[in-house]
Amino acid sequence: MPSYTGPVEDFRFLIHEFLDLEACSDLPSLKEIDGEIIDAVLNEGARFCESVLQPLNAPGDAAGCRLENGAVITPDGFRQAYRTFRENGWPGLTSSPEFGGQGMPHFLGIALSEMITAANTSWGMYPALAHGAWELIHAHGSEEQKRTWLPKMIAGEWTGTMNLTESHCGTDLGLVRTRAERLDDGSYHISGTKIWISAGEHDLAENIVHLVLARTPGAPEGTRGLSLFIVPKFLVDENGQLGERNAVNCAGLDHKMGIRGSATCEMVYDKAVGYLIGEEQKGLALMFTMMNGARLGTGIQGLGLASVAYQNAVSFARERLQGRSLDGPKFPDKPADPIIVHPDVRRMLMISKACIEGSRALAVFTALQLEIELRHPDAEARERAGHWVALMTPIVKAWFTDMGFEVTSLAMQVHGGAGYIVDTGVEQFLRDARIAKIYEGTNGIQALDLVGRKLTAANGETVKSFFTEVERLLAECADDEAMNEFAQPLAEATERLRNTTARVYRNMAGNPLEAGAASVDYLKLFALTAMAWSWTKQARIAQRAIEGGTERESFYRTKLDTARFFMARVLPETLGLAAQIEAGGDTLMALDESAF
């Protein structure tokens, strides 16, 4: 059976050393906490994930959810785990103190999210959707709506969902048909059917607050005509108490390849009472608050599954005896050497380790920028951070989930035939990881977002936010000869990215199809360059720690060796990607449709 250990040591390194928290001392969320509190949150979060969630993962996958008389029953243990999660205050970790949250910084929320996903991805879907729903209401709801819905949601007593997709429309939300008719009291009747709604019905919480996109009478066609509504499972009276059941029901559960313990529902609204958020016909813009948060969260799912799959691959590689090392036996007292001595197994493990730790650093830094964007008292600081978050959202979603699926596949390969067997648990990681490349906007959509929107956003300031960080880091490394082996590849990759960015921008101005042809390769090129920045920054910290003398020299030397591997064996992929982008879109679009 698989196991999991929260990567607390790496999170501590990233938060205490990789992030410059002293430069962010004006953040309200940092004024009330110190290193001891941060470490306590990490340790307790890891303990909960290791001891409570991970043991439920395989049984929850085997059992799945059940639909009985319109009610969804989650796998055994899920309810108790959620109760423990709620009683310990985890739902409100990063939530607004004004409505009962703890107001902790988002980088702690990212750390907890990764560990939850690694331990039990299916279970983690329920609080993740609730978090996104309360964030949207907090950002765009009226004061009355905030007072009504947020305290219970932040406390974990109520959860939330995002209702977008219908049977005839997924990415193209302009085709939504769900109707909203205004009533005399200012509320609305919502009628329609939504599909693939994660956590749409379950038995973990007392109420479920659905956020539903619908079209009011006379609204224009397309996305401009969409409005956003709060539609609760149970209506709530003026005192905040639960009332009668609303006219919203789960009509079916989807049977899925993975995340089987997460209820994916068909939701039917039959003149259900709903409450408008914001203005009519402004719904999609508001929903992007939740969608963008969900995209970052989905990226963290890829990272978490990569992390747990890698851990189990390492354990197997240390134990599995097969063959002898090419340069002679390493364990002559045993009938064979463990497979970790073989170069190809090392290759798979090193790719996994380099991608996971590089991505984790990028995620934690992005979470700090999100914290600055939302809570920093200085408007200019908020704007700068917002550019980074906007730029990295499609990269984190797409690159992390592509990486997550690749690493879980490598973990299966390390296990050999044993990885294909259910008992080892590796095949579940692979199945669970696959959906993350699809939902919350396919990775191809994320690539189009990066090329089509982010390159030109804010008059170029959005994409410039990355180059500014790289230039700052390269300047810090300029007089440090020991850093040349990291800084030089980063500088070369960054220049390659600059030139390719300019080429993509020029080409798509002449032919919009060129943007689509280049987009997926361009996103990966950008992601690998961002990873090079991440590893150069980690390497500089490690190098200085070793030079200054440290009791944790082994940890820092491992960081340096992993950074060297990334620069030598992973970053060169950018050469091929740049060449593929330069080739243009003609070969992609050359065939007539009938030729396929």
Side-chain angles (χ1 to χ4, degrees):
M1 294 296 290
S3 62
Y4 175 65
T5 301
V8 172
E9 184 178 27
D10 203 33
F11 276 125
R12 291 182 61 190
F13 163 73
L14 294 174
I15 292 171
H16 297 309
E17 300 179 66
F18 186 83
L19 299 182
D20 185 3
L21 296 185
E22 290 186 9
C24 305
S25 58
D26 288 339
L27 280 170
S29 57
L30 296 181
K31 292 183 182 298
E32 303 297 327
I33 66 171
D34 55 21
E36 187 174 334
I37 292 176
I38 290 172
D39 290 348
V41 171
L42 293 173
N43 289 330
E44 285 303 304
R47 185 198 61 78
F48 173 76
C49 293
E50 294 162 4
S51 63
V52 178
L53 295 185
Q54 194 277 331
L56 300 175
N57 191 37
D61 176 70
C65 295
R66 306 194 312 274
L67 179 63
E68 297 183 358
N69 299 319
V72 170
I73 301 171
T74 54
D76 289 347
F78 273 40
R79 289 186 67 187
Q80 181 58 48
Y82 186 78
R83 187 179 302 115
T84 301
F85 181 76
R86 189 183 69 199
E87 290 172 350
N88 290 339
W90 292 114
L93 182 68
T94 61
S95 308
S96 170
E98 180 184 359
F99 299 100
Q102 300 176 49
M104 293 278 186
H106 279 79
F107 54 75
L108 282 176
I110 286 287
L112 180 64
S113 294
E114 183 196 319
M115 292 190 286
I116 287 174
T117 295
N120 195 324
T121 305
S122 289
W123 184 93
M125 294 289 288
Y126 298 96
L129 268 295
H131 182 90
W134 82 251
E135 279 191 326
L136 189 150
I137 295 172
H138 185 263
H140 302 296
S142 67
E143 290 304 314
E144 180 181 359
Q145 288 171 339
K146 293 177 186 178
R147 290 193 302 269
T148 300
W149 306 105
L150 292 184
K152 296 284 190 180
M153 296 179 74
I154 288 172
E157 296 178 37
W158 300 347
T159 60
T161 72
M162 176 170 56
N163 282 234
L164 284 69
T165 305
E166 300 179 7
S167 60
H168 55 280
C169 70
T171 300
D172 190 355
L173 292 171
L175 301 177
V176 162
R177 295 174 185 162
T178 298
R179 304 182 310 280
E181 298 179 358
R182 185 179 174 88
L183 303 177
D184 292 340
D185 64 359
S187 65
Y188 290 73
H189 270 165
I190 310 299
S191 299
T193 300
K194 300 288 186 176
I195 65 169
W196 301 341
I197 306 305
S198 298
E201 170 64 26
H202 56 78
D203 56 2
L204 304 186
E206 299 172 356
N207 202 7
I208 303 174
V209 181
H210 302 289
L211 299 181
V212 183
L213 279 180
R215 195 179 301 280
T216 53
E221 296 297 318
T223 57
R224 293 185 301 111
L226 296 177
S227 302
L228 182 62
F229 300 89
I230 296 172
V231 188
K233 175 180 176 179
F234 288 97
L235 299 176
V236 177
D237 66 22
E238 62 274 10
N239 298 315
Q241 301 302 307
L242 296 184
E244 64 183 29
R245 176 71 184 255
N246 206 356
V248 50
N249 294 284
C250 176
L253 280 178
D254 290 307
H255 303 284
K256 309 184 296 292
M257 172 181 174
I259 56 169
R260 293 173 176 170
S262 169
T264 303
C265 306
E266 177 186 353
M267 303 301 297
V268 177
Y269 296 84
D270 185 8
K271 293 187 176 180
V273 176
Y275 309 97
L276 179 69
I277 301 179
E279 302 176 22
E280 286 191 6
Q281 301 175 30
K282 303 292 184 182
L284 188 59
L286 304 187
M287 183 59 85
F288 267 105
T289 297
M290 188 171 183
M291 290 170 66
N292 285 330
R295 286 170 177 173
L296 290 172
T298 301
I300 301 305
Q301 285 187 3
L303 174 58
L305 283 162
S307 178
V308 67
Y310 163 74
Q311 286 186 20
N312 284 273
V314 170
S315 296
F316 185 86
R318 287 171 173 160
E319 297 169 0
R320 173 68 167 172
L321 302 181
Q322 188 165 300
R324 290 295 187 184
S325 174
L326 295 176
D327 61 351
K330 299 302 181 186
F331 294 84
D333 57 321
K334 296 182 178 181
D337 288 335
I339 62 172
I340 200 168
V341 306
H342 301 309
D344 188 53
V345 173
R346 288 294 187 103
R347 175 188 65 84
M348 292 186 283
L349 295 179
M350 285 300 295
I351 289 172
S352 301
K353 182 177 178 62
C355 289
I356 290 165
E357 293 184 15
S359 297
R360 184 178 291 135
L362 186 61
V364 169
F365 186 85
T366 300
L368 177 59
Q369 301 311 302
L370 179 61
E371 185 72 16
I372 293 170
E373 180 189 16
L374 295 176
R375 295 174 174 170
H376 201 284
D378 181 68
E380 187 176 339
R382 293 197 302 272
E383 183 179 13
R384 287 197 305 270
H387 291 316
W388 176 279
V389 174
L391 176 67
M392 286 298 155
T393 294
I395 293 172
V396 167
K397 195 282 178 182
W399 159 252
F400 283 28
T401 58
D402 282 343
M403 179 273 295
F405 187 68
E406 174 63 20
V407 169
T408 56
S409 181
L410 289 175
M412 179 179 284
Q413 194 72 15
V414 170
H415 279 77
Y420 203 69
I421 303 303
V422 171
D423 292 351
T424 62
V426 181
E427 58 85 33
Q428 184 190 344
F429 302 145
L430 185 72
R431 288 188 289 104
D432 285 352
R434 187 59 183 86
I435 184 59
K437 292 160 61 77
I438 298 173
Y439 60 16
E440 305 306 338
T442 66
N443 288 358
I445 294 295
Q446 304 306 313
L448 283 175
D449 177 46
L450 177 64
V451 170
R453 293 184 181 143
K454 302 304 167 58
L455 291 192
T456 58
N459 295 318
E461 290 299 313
T462 296
V463 71
K464 182 181 175 182
S465 65
F466 173 73
F467 293 115
T468 299
E469 285 295 335
V470 173
E471 290 164 2
R472 181 181 295 115
L473 178 58
L474 290 175
E476 292 172 357
C477 297
D479 298 325
D480 188 347
E481 187 174 343
M483 286 301 299
N484 285 347
E485 61 178 316
F486 309 106
Q488 186 62 32
L490 170 62
E492 293 171 358
T494 302
E495 185 63 21
R496 190 174 301 120
L497 178 61
R498 284 185 193 275
N499 293 337
T500 305
T501 300
R503 184 179 301 113
V504 168
Y505 184 78
R506 288 195 304 270
N507 290 348
M508 70 180 185
N511 181 2
L513 288 177
E514 289 293 333
S519 60
V520 171
D521 292 329
Y522 179 80
L523 186 144
K524 187 174 183 180
L525 173 68
F526 210 129
L528 289 174
T529 308
M531 292 279 285
W533 168 83
S534 164
W535 271 116
T536 301
K537 191 172 175 68
Q538 291 184 74
R540 184 169 184 268
I541 296 166
Q543 187 70 45
R544 294 173 71 183
I546 292 171
E547 291 172 354
T550 173
E551 296 179 354
R552 301 169 60 229
E553 183 169 338
S554 175
F555 174 85
Y556 292 112
R557 289 205 178 278
T558 298
K559 283 290 183 185
L560 288 173
D561 287 338
T562 308
R564 290 187 182 100
F565 175 86
F566 179 85
M567 297 299 182
R569 299 297 295 267
V570 181
L571 187 61
E573 288 185 40
T574 58
L575 293 165
L577 291 166
Q580 289 167 211
I581 294 167
E582 187 171 0
D586 289 347
T587 55
L588 283 180
M589 307 304 294
L591 293 185
D592 185 82
E593 290 180 14
S594 63
F596 287 96

